[in-house]
PDB file of all heavy atoms in Angstrom:
ATOM      1  N   ILE A 806     -28.803  -1.750 -11.725  1.00 97.00           N
ATOM      2  CA  ILE A 806     -27.409  -1.682 -11.279  1.00 97.00           C
ATOM      3  C   ILE A 806     -27.173  -2.677 -10.150  1.00 97.00           C
ATOM      4  O   ILE A 806     -26.175  -3.409 -10.146  1.00 97.00           O
ATOM      5  CB  ILE A 806     -27.060  -0.255 -10.830  1.00 97.00           C
ATOM      6  CG1 ILE A 806     -27.079   0.697 -12.029  1.00 97.00           C
ATOM      7  CG2 ILE A 806     -25.684  -0.220 -10.144  1.00 97.00           C
ATOM      8  CD1 ILE A 806     -26.815   2.147 -11.674  1.00 97.00           C
ATOM      9  N   ARG A 807     -28.105  -2.705  -9.193  1.00 96.00           N
ATOM     10  CA  ARG A 807     -27.950  -3.638  -8.074  1.00 96.00           C
ATOM     11  C   ARG A 807     -27.973  -5.087  -8.553  1.00 96.00           C
ATOM     12  O   ARG A 807     -27.212  -5.925  -8.056  1.00 96.00           O
ATOM     13  CB  ARG A 807     -29.050  -3.379  -7.041  1.00 96.00           C
ATOM     14  CG  ARG A 807     -28.939  -2.018  -6.363  1.00 96.00           C
ATOM     15  CD  ARG A 807     -29.837  -1.910  -5.142  1.00 96.00           C
ATOM     16  NE  ARG A 807     -31.249  -1.892  -5.496  1.00 96.00           N
ATOM     17  CZ  ARG A 807     -31.968  -0.783  -5.654  1.00 96.00           C
ATOM     18  NH1 ARG A 807     -31.395   0.400  -5.525  1.00 96.00           N
ATOM     19  NH2 ARG A 807     -33.262  -0.850  -5.934  1.00 96.00           N
ATOM     20  N   GLU A 808     -28.824  -5.397  -9.526  1.00 96.00           N
ATOM     21  CA  GLU A 808     -28.883  -6.754 -10.072  1.00 96.00           C
ATOM     22  C   GLU A 808     -27.615  -7.088 -10.855  1.00 96.00           C
ATOM     23  O   GLU A 808     -27.104  -8.210 -10.780  1.00 96.00           O
ATOM     24  CB  GLU A 808     -30.114  -6.892 -10.970  1.00 96.00           C
ATOM     25  CG  GLU A 808     -31.435  -6.806 -10.219  1.00 96.00           C
ATOM     26  CD  GLU A 808     -32.627  -6.686 -11.146  1.00 96.00           C
ATOM     27  OE1 GLU A 808     -32.422  -6.705 -12.386  1.00 96.00           O
ATOM     28  OE2 GLU A 808     -33.761  -6.565 -10.643  1.00 96.00           O
ATOM     29  N   ARG A 809     -27.113  -6.113 -11.596  1.00 96.00           N
ATOM     30  CA  ARG A 809     -25.914  -6.349 -12.405  1.00 96.00           C
ATOM     31  C   ARG A 809     -24.700  -6.607 -11.528  1.00 96.00           C
ATOM     32  O   ARG A 809     -23.892  -7.489 -11.822  1.00 96.00           O
ATOM     33  CB  ARG A 809     -25.668  -5.120 -13.293  1.00 96.00           C
ATOM     34  CG  ARG A 809     -24.495  -5.261 -14.232  1.00 96.00           C
ATOM     35  CD  ARG A 809     -24.735  -6.281 -15.308  1.00 96.00           C
ATOM     36  NE  ARG A 809     -23.632  -6.303 -16.265  1.00 96.00           N
ATOM     37  CZ  ARG A 809     -23.501  -7.202 -17.229  1.00 96.00           C
ATOM     38  NH1 ARG A 809     -24.432  -8.141 -17.389  1.00 96.00           N
ATOM     39  NH2 ARG A 809     -22.476  -7.165 -18.046  1.00 96.00           N
ATOM     40  N   VAL A 810     -24.550  -5.844 -10.442  1.00 96.00           N
ATOM     41  CA  VAL A 810     -23.392  -6.044  -9.575  1.00 96.00           C
ATOM     42  C   VAL A 810     -23.519  -7.352  -8.802  1.00 96.00           C
ATOM     43  O   VAL A 810     -22.508  -7.995  -8.469  1.00 96.00           O
ATOM     44  CB  VAL A 810     -23.189  -4.838  -8.641  1.00 96.00           C
ATOM     45  CG1 VAL A 810     -24.143  -4.841  -7.468  1.00 96.00           C
ATOM     46  CG2 VAL A 810     -21.747  -4.782  -8.134  1.00 96.00           C
ATOM     47  N   ALA A 811     -24.746  -7.794  -8.511  1.00 95.00           N
ATOM     48  CA  ALA A 811     -24.926  -9.096  -7.869  1.00 95.00           C
ATOM     49  C   ALA A 811     -24.455 -10.207  -8.808  1.00 95.00           C
ATOM     50  O   ALA A 811     -23.822 -11.189  -8.373  1.00 95.00           O
ATOM     51  CB  ALA A 811     -26.387  -9.298  -7.491  1.00 95.00           C
ATOM     52  N   LEU A 812     -24.762 -10.059 -10.103  1.00 95.00           N
ATOM     53  CA  LEU A 812     -24.284 -11.031 -11.095  1.00 95.00           C
ATOM     54  C   LEU A 812     -22.761 -10.997 -11.190  1.00 95.00           C
ATOM     55  O   LEU A 812     -22.105 -12.045 -11.264  1.00 95.00           O
ATOM     56  CB  LEU A 812     -24.910 -10.722 -12.455  1.00 95.00           C
ATOM     57  CG  LEU A 812     -24.416 -11.566 -13.634  1.00 95.00           C
ATOM     58  CD1 LEU A 812     -24.763 -13.041 -13.426  1.00 95.00           C
ATOM     59  CD2 LEU A 812     -25.010 -11.054 -14.948  1.00 95.00           C
ATOM     60  N   ALA A 813     -22.190  -9.779 -11.172  1.00 94.00           N
ATOM     61  CA  ALA A 813     -20.730  -9.648 -11.246  1.00 94.00           C
ATOM     62  C   ALA A 813     -20.059 -10.334 -10.063  1.00 94.00           C
ATOM     63  O   ALA A 813     -18.991 -10.949 -10.207  1.00 94.00           O
ATOM     64  CB  ALA A 813     -20.339  -8.178 -11.306  1.00 94.00           C
ATOM     65  N   LYS A 814     -20.681 -10.235  -8.898  1.00 94.00           N
ATOM     66  CA  LYS A 814     -20.135 -10.914  -7.714  1.00 94.00           C
ATOM     67  C   LYS A 814     -20.103 -12.420  -7.929  1.00 94.00           C
ATOM     68  O   LYS A 814     -19.102 -13.086  -7.623  1.00 94.00           O
ATOM     69  CB  LYS A 814     -20.980 -10.580  -6.491  1.00 94.00           C
ATOM     70  CG  LYS A 814     -20.544 -11.314  -5.227  1.00 94.00           C
ATOM     71  CD  LYS A 814     -21.494 -11.048  -4.071  1.00 94.00           C
ATOM     72  CE  LYS A 814     -21.062 -11.851  -2.837  1.00 94.00           C
ATOM     73  NZ  LYS A 814     -21.991 -11.657  -1.703  1.00 94.00           N
ATOM     74  N   GLU A 815     -21.179 -12.991  -8.480  1.00 94.00           N
ATOM     75  CA  GLU A 815     -21.219 -14.427  -8.746  1.00 94.00           C
ATOM     76  C   GLU A 815     -20.117 -14.829  -9.720  1.00 94.00           C
ATOM     77  O   GLU A 815     -19.444 -15.852  -9.532  1.00 94.00           O
ATOM     78  CB  GLU A 815     -22.580 -14.807  -9.325  1.00 94.00           C
ATOM     79  CG  GLU A 815     -23.739 -14.665  -8.360  1.00 94.00           C
ATOM     80  CD  GLU A 815     -25.060 -15.029  -9.016  1.00 94.00           C
ATOM     81  OE1 GLU A 815     -25.033 -15.536 -10.167  1.00 94.00           O
ATOM     82  OE2 GLU A 815     -26.123 -14.809  -8.393  1.00 94.00           O
ATOM     83  N   ARG A 816     -19.930 -14.014 -10.767  1.00 92.00           N
ATOM     84  CA  ARG A 816     -18.903 -14.330 -11.766  1.00 92.00           C
ATOM     85  C   ARG A 816     -17.497 -14.231 -11.165  1.00 92.00           C
ATOM     86  O   ARG A 816     -16.595 -15.001 -11.528  1.00 92.00           O
ATOM     87  CB  ARG A 816     -19.040 -13.387 -12.963  1.00 92.00           C
ATOM     88  CG  ARG A 816     -20.337 -13.560 -13.732  1.00 92.00           C
ATOM     89  CD  ARG A 816     -20.390 -14.939 -14.402  1.00 92.00           C
ATOM     90  NE  ARG A 816     -21.605 -15.096 -15.172  1.00 92.00           N
ATOM     91  CZ  ARG A 816     -22.695 -15.709 -14.748  1.00 92.00           C
ATOM     92  NH1 ARG A 816     -22.719 -16.233 -13.518  1.00 92.00           N
ATOM     93  NH2 ARG A 816     -23.752 -15.829 -15.519  1.00 92.00           N
ATOM     94  N   ALA A 817     -17.287 -13.272 -10.245  1.00 92.00           N
ATOM     95  CA  ALA A 817     -15.984 -13.156  -9.584  1.00 92.00           C
ATOM     96  C   ALA A 817     -15.698 -14.388  -8.737  1.00 92.00           C
ATOM     97  O   ALA A 817     -14.565 -14.901  -8.719  1.00 92.00           O
ATOM     98  CB  ALA A 817     -15.948 -11.889  -8.720  1.00 92.00           C
ATOM     99  N   GLU A 818     -16.708 -14.871  -8.032  1.00 91.00           N
ATOM    100  CA  GLU A 818     -16.540 -16.075  -7.217  1.00 91.00           C
ATOM    101  C   GLU A 818     -16.237 -17.282  -8.096  1.00 91.00           C
ATOM    102  O   GLU A 818     -15.382 -18.117  -7.766  1.00 91.00           O
ATOM    103  CB  GLU A 818     -17.793 -16.306  -6.378  1.00 91.00           C
ATOM    104  CG  GLU A 818     -18.002 -15.261  -5.287  1.00 91.00           C
ATOM    105  CD  GLU A 818     -19.348 -15.385  -4.602  1.00 91.00           C
ATOM    106  OE1 GLU A 818     -20.216 -16.136  -5.135  1.00 91.00           O
ATOM    107  OE2 GLU A 818     -19.555 -14.749  -3.553  1.00 91.00           O
ATOM    108  N   GLU A 819     -16.933 -17.392  -9.227  1.00 91.00           N
ATOM    109  CA  GLU A 819     -16.690 -18.510 -10.146  1.00 91.00           C
ATOM    110  C   GLU A 819     -15.267 -18.472 -10.692  1.00 91.00           C
ATOM    111  O   GLU A 819     -14.613 -19.506 -10.833  1.00 91.00           O
ATOM    112  CB  GLU A 819     -17.688 -18.452 -11.302  1.00 91.00           C
ATOM    113  CG  GLU A 819     -19.125 -18.750 -10.914  1.00 91.00           C
ATOM    114  CD  GLU A 819     -20.082 -18.503 -12.067  1.00 91.00           C
ATOM    115  OE1 GLU A 819     -19.610 -18.127 -13.163  1.00 91.00           O
ATOM    116  OE2 GLU A 819     -21.299 -18.684 -11.864  1.00 91.00           O
ATOM    117  N   ALA A 820     -14.768 -17.256 -11.000  1.00 89.00           N
ATOM    118  CA  ALA A 820     -13.445 -17.126 -11.612  1.00 89.00           C
ATOM    119  C   ALA A 820     -12.331 -17.609 -10.704  1.00 89.00           C
ATOM    120  O   ALA A 820     -11.304 -18.106 -11.175  1.00 89.00           O
ATOM    121  CB  ALA A 820     -13.207 -15.671 -12.005  1.00 89.00           C
ATOM    122  N   THR A 821     -12.516 -17.474  -9.385  1.00 83.00           N
ATOM    123  CA  THR A 821     -11.441 -17.823  -8.458  1.00 83.00           C
ATOM    124  C   THR A 821     -11.564 -19.241  -7.905  1.00 83.00           C
ATOM    125  O   THR A 821     -10.718 -19.664  -7.129  1.00 83.00           O
ATOM    126  CB  THR A 821     -11.413 -16.819  -7.288  1.00 83.00           C
ATOM    127  OG1 THR A 821     -12.718 -16.743  -6.688  1.00 83.00           O
ATOM    128  CG2 THR A 821     -11.016 -15.434  -7.780  1.00 83.00           C
ATOM    129  N   ARG A 822     -12.626 -19.959  -8.287  1.00 85.00           N
ATOM    130  CA  ARG A 822     -12.712 -21.357  -7.881  1.00 85.00           C
ATOM    131  C   ARG A 822     -11.689 -22.187  -8.640  1.00 85.00           C
ATOM    132  O   ARG A 822     -11.107 -21.747  -9.631  1.00 85.00           O
ATOM    133  CB  ARG A 822     -14.125 -21.888  -8.127  1.00 85.00           C
ATOM    134  CG  ARG A 822     -15.173 -21.275  -7.202  1.00 85.00           C
ATOM    135  CD  ARG A 822     -16.561 -21.749  -7.560  1.00 85.00           C
ATOM    136  NE  ARG A 822     -17.580 -21.015  -6.820  1.00 85.00           N
ATOM    137  CZ  ARG A 822     -18.803 -20.787  -7.256  1.00 85.00           C
ATOM    138  NH1 ARG A 822     -19.167 -21.248  -8.449  1.00 85.00           N
ATOM    139  NH2 ARG A 822     -19.661 -20.117  -6.522  1.00 85.00           N
TER     140      ARG A 822
END
Side-chain angles (χ1 to χ4, degrees):
I806 293 177
R807 294 193 291 265
E808 293 169 2
R809 183 68 175 172
V810 78
L812 175 63
K814 176 185 177 182
E815 293 179 8
R816 295 294 182 262
E818 292 171 348
E819 291 173 1
T821 53
R822 291 175 189 151

